[in-house]
Amino acid sequence: MRKLIGKNILVTGGTGFIGSHLCERLVKLGANLTILDNSFRSSKRNIESILDKVELVEADVRNFDIIKKSTKDKDIVIHLAAIQGTQNFYDYPDLVLDVGVTGTLNIVKSVVENKIKHLLVASSSEAYSTPQYFPTPETHPLIIPDPANPRFSYSSTKIISEMLTIHFAKKKGFDYTIFRPHNVYGPRLGWKHIVPEFIKRIVLNEEFTIQGDGSQTRSFCYIDDGIDQLILYLTKDKAKNQIFNLGNQKESTVNDIIRHLEEICGRKLNPKYVELPAGGTTRRNPDMVKAEQILDYEPKVGIKEGLKRTYDWYKKEIEYWLKNAKSEEYPWNLRR
Ligand SMILES: NC(=O)c1ccc[n+]([C@@H]2O[C@H](COP(=O)([O-])OP(=O)(O)OC[C@H]3O[C@@H](n4cnc5c(N)ncnc54)[C@H](O)[C@@H]3O)[C@@H](O)[C@H]2O)c1
């Protein structure tokens, strides 16, 4: 880990969920950080513990001049800025595409112009669309099932981002690492995800409906494990010019999650099962063999422990908002 002491690193999307946890870890490891974010889906509050130790650029990743300036004199660039959230894919597919494509194009061009040595780019499990086999290895085809469906605005930007990264790197001589996160969760994840949504319903005593019969699975990866994997990309030469699934191969059903949460909150949740809407995938399971073999990566936080830590954080967060804001300001009521 001494490798990162004094390294100059730019993190785009650095006040978001993964970004804020990564930046906290990088500061601990002695890196000099510049964080760039326009707070589209995050807030400075996420990085308050390190605000006095980093440079924060409040800007849009689509602004080439700012990206060129911010990448200058960096050793490593980590590109996380993107518009996540299924509702956003439907509401603003044009914006999702613009930020995803223009943002990554600005990054790769600036990396070339400023002669940066290593670029890390966040892709997504969504690039596999509905996987054809499980566990899903990095060699699985990337698919855009229907370009007319706004749902695929986000995943298509991830596929284009991978292409831009790989081919600019090959032609222009920098190293890259691309990673495809699978259901990373933990404190600061936001509110439009299954785990915070369930916790919110428990804390606020809301009705507990489940889409489908609860047998659909996800492979949840606790944020600290995800950050461990990201740090391996930065410190192991073998990670260069590779694509990795980022996640945890262990699967949980939605019903498993409910059972664990019942244990954590100490009461029965009695979920009501309703019909699963068409279009969503019912299973995601990353094949983690490549990360295990090349990086010696091994997740450490089990689902029960991860859920407990996440529950405790969200409970406090909800109590904070209930005490300090009006209901229209509660973050869980905001559309994006
Ligand atoms: N969390 C996961 O499980 C997961 C899964 C798949 C892919 N990813 C990818 O990993 C990366 C980080 O994800 P996350 O979970 O932290 O999401 P996040 O939404 O918390 O973080 C993304 C950040 O990008 C910022 N952003 C959006 N538009 C911007 C713009 N135009 N200019 C500058 N900043 C902008 C947002 O404000 C936010 O802080 C993203 O690229 C995401 O697509 C994450």
Side-chain angles (χ1 to χ4, degrees):
M1 300 308 162
R2 295 176 63 84
K3 264 191 162 175
L4 294 172
I5 296 175
K7 288 277 187 240
N8 295 318
I9 303 180
L10 169 71
V11 182
T12 74
T15 65
F17 165 56
I18 294 181
S20 61
H21 286 274
L22 175 63
C23 290
E24 282 178 346
R25 183 80 70 88
L26 288 171
V27 165
K28 256 191 208 149
L29 293 173
N32 299 322
L33 280 194
T34 302
I35 296 176
L36 184 141
D37 205 302
N38 70 349
S39 298
F40 179 83
R41 240 181 136 230
S42 58
S43 96
K44 256 200 272 189
R45 232 179 119 226
N46 283 346
I47 54 162
E48 62 189 359
S49 67
I50 52 168
L51 252 183
D52 57 339
K53 300 183 185 77
V54 302
E55 182 195 3
L56 177 63
V57 181
E58 295 179 83
D60 194 310
V61 77
R62 291 173 293 170
N63 183 325
F64 180 71
D65 293 339
I66 291 181
I67 294 298
K68 195 173 155 199
K69 200 167 152 222
S70 306
T71 45
K72 200 167 178 317
D73 299 326
K74 299 294 181 286
D75 300 296
I76 300 166
V77 171
I78 304 174
H79 179 42
L80 307 176
I83 297 183
Q84 285 234 88
T86 312
Q87 193 58 47
N88 291 326
F89 311 161
Y90 288 103
D91 289 351
Y92 323 109
D94 47 346
L95 183 63
V96 168
L97 282 156
D98 194 8
V99 170
V101 178
T102 312
T104 307
L105 196 53
N106 284 346
I107 289 287
V108 290
K109 283 183 173 170
S110 302
V111 160
V112 173
E113 289 199 22
N114 286 320
K115 299 188 171 43
I116 310 301
K117 293 198 178 73
H118 193 189
L119 170 65
L120 259 68
V121 172
S123 178
S124 172
S125 56
E126 295 267 336
Y128 299 127
S129 190
T130 300
Q132 295 159 3
Y133 39 89
F134 302 97
T136 309
E138 291 84 350
T139 48
H140 185 285
L142 306 187
I143 299 164
I144 303 170
D146 175 7
N149 184 339
R151 173 95 182 62
F152 304 113
S153 53
Y154 170 78
S155 59
S156 60
T157 69
K158 293 302 187 182
I159 297 173
I160 295 166
S161 292
E162 293 199 15
M163 298 284 293
L164 285 169
T165 303
I166 294 167
H167 296 287
F168 270 70
K170 272 192 185 152
K171 232 23 243 175
K172 312 284 186 181
F174 61 84
D175 290 316
Y176 68 87
T177 307
I178 291 169
F179 56 98
R180 299 178 183 149
H182 283 63
N183 282 104
V184 185
Y185 75 103
R188 307 200 286 259
L189 176 59
W191 298 91
K192 308 284 179 234
H193 300 260
I194 173 173
V195 172
E197 174 63 30
F198 282 8
I199 296 173
K200 182 203 77 171
R201 288 183 205 166
I202 295 170
V203 175
L204 296 179
N205 246 317
E206 291 174 351
E207 192 183 38
F208 216 97
T209 50
I210 303 294
Q211 294 180 335
D213 63 3
S215 66
Q216 60 272 43
T217 72
R218 289 288 182 271
S219 304
F220 289 102
C221 173
Y222 189 66
I223 183 68
D224 290 5
D225 287 332
I227 301 303
D228 284 353
Q229 197 178 330
L230 281 166
I231 297 298
L232 291 172
Y233 304 154
L234 297 171
T235 51
K236 295 221 167 187
D237 279 342
K238 286 185 201 161
K240 288 184 175 158
N241 306 315
Q242 298 287 344
I243 300 174
F244 292 101
N245 283 332
L246 183 147
N248 186 329
Q249 200 168 317
K250 203 157 182 346
E251 284 181 281
S252 307
T253 65
V254 171
N255 285 330
D256 291 334
I257 301 298
I258 292 168
R259 261 195 308 277
H260 293 315
L261 287 172
E262 284 180 334
E263 255 180 56
I264 292 166
C265 74
R267 66 181 165 89
K268 278 273 183 225
L269 296 173
N270 302 317
K272 194 170 128 201
Y273 294 93
V274 298
E275 207 174 315
L276 190 69
T281 184
T282 55
R283 192 176 175 198
R284 287 214 180 279
N285 183 225
D287 187 322
M288 295 304 297
V289 169
K290 183 172 174 181
E292 282 162 23
Q293 289 184 345
I294 296 188
L295 306 172
D296 291 325
Y297 166 70
E298 197 190 344
K300 297 187 189 81
V301 184
I303 186 73
K304 256 194 198 169
E305 175 60 24
L307 283 174
K308 167 86 177 95
R309 292 187 204 174
T310 309
Y311 179 88
D312 289 345
W313 185 87
Y314 271 95
K315 188 165 180 288
K316 268 201 202 136
E317 187 71 2
I318 291 168
E319 286 161 1
Y320 165 87
W321 285 102
L322 291 177
K323 199 169 149 204
N324 295 298
K326 299 190 191 95
S327 60
E328 62 271 22
E329 294 163 347
Y330 296 159
W332 53 89
N333 287 338
L334 302 178
R335 192 165 168 87
R336 66 191 187 201

